[in-house]
Amino acid sequence: MSTEMLERRSEILKRNIHQLLVQENQHGMTRQENYTLHKMIRELHQTAHALNTSR
């Protein structure tokens, strides 16, 4: 993937993670939402690693 694409993916993941964390703080989370949150966090770490190796 190109660096621009990785940066865009990173921003989208950060925004989605933020939204889920706000929801968790206000209302709690279901198991599925919790699973989705952790999956997105793993994807964010993988994307950050790919960005660092591409630079």
Side-chain angles (χ1 to χ4, degrees):
M1 277 193 224
S2 70
T3 303
E4 290 177 11
M5 188 180 289
L6 289 170
E7 289 173 352
R8 178 73 177 139
R9 180 182 175 126
S10 178
E11 290 301 317
I12 291 169
L13 284 168
K14 286 178 186 177
R15 188 174 343 130
N16 290 340
I17 289 169
H18 175 72
Q19 289 173 345
L20 276 174
L21 289 174
V22 168
Q23 177 186 338
E24 178 185 22
N25 288 336
Q26 292 176 349
H27 307 290
M29 296 180 90
T30 64
R31 280 185 159 175
Q32 184 176 2
E33 290 167 334
N34 192 31
Y35 173 79
T36 303
L37 173 63
H38 287 279
K39 183 178 175 187
M40 283 194 291
I41 291 171
R42 281 192 302 271
E43 288 180 25
L44 180 62
H45 285 283
Q46 289 172 347
T47 303
H49 178 72
L51 256 174
N52 288 334
T53 56
S54 70
R55 289 183 178 168

